[in-house]
Amino acid sequence: MALEVVRPLDLYARYLATYCSVDFFSNFLVAHKIQSTSANFSSWKSPQEWAQLLLHPISYLLDQHPSLALTIGDHLGDNPVYLRLESIDLQQLIRVIPIKTSEEIGRVIEQEHNTPFNLSDNTSPLWRLLISPIEDDNSSFYLSFVFQHSTSDGRSAMAMTEQFFEQLILEPKWTDKTPNLSPCATTKIPITSRKSIPAPIEGRVNCTPSKLKLLTTLAQSLPFVNSVMKIFETKYWAGDFDCSAGAPFKVELTLMQLTGQETSKVIQATKKRSTTVQSV
């Protein structure tokens, strides 16, 4: 059965999908460390077990956020489109990689971040989960959401994961030391929501530059004008990369654990320097 066509990809999503196709900066990842006062996570080994435990929170997200049920059709063609999946097998979207200590999580999520999605696979959505139980701490594990950048960014990913944890704390299995899991239980989630996704940004905002904007941009691109402007502009980094950087592009991650007070200081420093926490 052919999947439902939701709408064409907007220009920005096509740009990000193209990056993925050439193995250059494709994913967004947000990781959380979760700790329980009762459960022993070392006994949960398989993706099927974790899928049963996460089934309700993920089902809630799929109902609230229709973009999580999408895949991309004809991603290499002239007119790529978003397709709505009929169902999602949560077990197939989970990878379990145990770590001995928390210090190892940086290496694990760096590798996961740099593993691209297969956009030619129309049986899976544009996100997946990585679960890393900690062998030296049976009451804790790391849960990482990995999104293809055309379906989520930092702000939307944080909002969705916040809703996920609101539902997770309501799941009774998390309070059981030995949760009752059935080897025959299904981990498939039917997609019943037919909520629409936002229209393409170029359909909501006039993206056509004015003649004045074109002339200004042209003038700024001239070598002399560009050099003069750089002398006077405030020095900061806003996530730009040297265009001469070769592909594939890899991201290095460093694990920094900040207290609440240290986090507040970082936020104040970014405000003072007119930059962002992401840039820092």
Side-chain angles (χ1 to χ4, degrees):
M1 181 183 295
L3 298 177
E4 173 193 354
V5 176
V6 178
R7 69 162 172 79
L9 270 67
D10 52 55
L11 295 178
Y12 184 57
R14 292 181 67 172
Y15 167 77
L16 294 171
T18 302
Y19 261 28
C20 181
S21 298
V22 296
D23 195 21
F24 190 98
F25 187 66
S26 54
N27 301 339
F28 180 84
L29 183 149
V30 55
H32 298 268
K33 184 178 182 181
I34 302 173
Q35 189 169 23
S36 172
T37 57
S38 56
N40 182 351
F41 300 118
S42 64
S43 61
W44 302 351
K45 302 293 186 182
S46 70
Q48 184 187 34
E49 292 175 311
W50 286 99
Q52 290 184 51
L53 293 163
L54 299 174
L55 199 63
H56 170 71
I58 294 297
S59 298
Y60 176 83
L61 286 186
L62 287 168
D63 182 66
Q64 296 296 310
H65 302 281
S67 62
L68 296 180
L70 300 181
T71 187
I72 296 178
D74 194 24
H75 73 287
L76 295 178
D78 295 334
N79 299 293
V81 294
Y82 283 122
L83 304 173
R84 197 191 314 270
L85 296 167
E86 294 294 327
S87 64
I88 289 175
D89 189 349
L90 186 56
Q91 178 182 344
Q92 301 301 319
L93 303 181
I94 294 176
R95 286 211 306 156
V96 181
I97 302 180
I99 56 177
K100 187 170 180 59
T101 65
S102 291
E103 284 68 28
E104 297 178 18
I105 191 61
R107 169 186 56 80
V108 173
I109 62 176
E110 178 180 321
Q111 180 180 0
E112 188 68 24
H113 176 277
N114 290 324
T115 302
F117 284 81
N118 179 10
L119 297 186
S120 62
D121 178 12
N122 293 147
T123 63
S124 299
L126 303 172
W127 57 273
R128 59 179 182 258
L129 296 172
L130 171 68
I131 297 173
S132 298
I134 306 171
E135 295 177 0
D136 288 355
D137 183 1
N138 292 334
S139 63
S140 301
F141 69 96
Y142 283 91
L143 175 65
S144 302
F145 283 84
V146 190
F147 300 93
Q148 209 286 324
H149 226 316
S150 63
T151 194
S152 181
D153 58 13
R155 182 170 296 182
S156 59
M158 292 302 293
M160 285 189 282
T161 53
E162 183 177 347
Q163 291 181 334
F164 169 83
F165 287 111
E166 288 175 354
Q167 297 300 311
L168 184 62
I169 61 176
L170 302 177
E171 177 57 59
K173 292 186 179 72
W174 289 101
T175 61
D176 297 338
K177 291 185 178 180
T178 54
N180 183 21
L181 304 176
S182 170
C184 299
T186 181
T187 58
K188 277 194 173 184
I189 304 174
I191 305 302
T192 57
S193 174
R194 286 299 181 265
K195 295 178 181 177
S196 61
I197 64 174
I201 188 169
E202 55 265 27
R204 293 176 281 146
V205 179
N206 182 10
C207 301
T208 304
S210 64
K211 292 181 179 179
L212 177 60
K213 179 65 175 177
L214 288 172
L215 290 173
T216 303
T217 304
L218 177 62
Q220 291 174 350
S221 66
L222 297 175
F224 174 75
V225 177
N226 191 34
S227 300
V228 172
M229 291 179 61
K230 285 187 175 181
I231 294 174
F232 294 101
E233 72 178 4
T234 302
K235 303 301 179 186
Y236 72 98
W237 182 72
D240 299 324
F241 295 99
D242 184 355
C243 64
S244 64
F249 178 77
K250 300 298 182 183
V251 174
E252 283 190 13
L253 301 178
T254 300
L255 179 64
M256 295 190 298
Q257 302 189 51
L258 305 181
T259 64
Q261 185 178 13
E262 289 170 335
T263 303
S264 297
K265 289 182 179 179
V266 171
I267 294 173
Q268 291 302 318
T270 59
K271 292 180 178 178
K272 184 178 180 180
R273 291 165 174 77
S274 300
T275 184
T276 65
V277 173
Q278 287 91 336
S279 295
V280 170

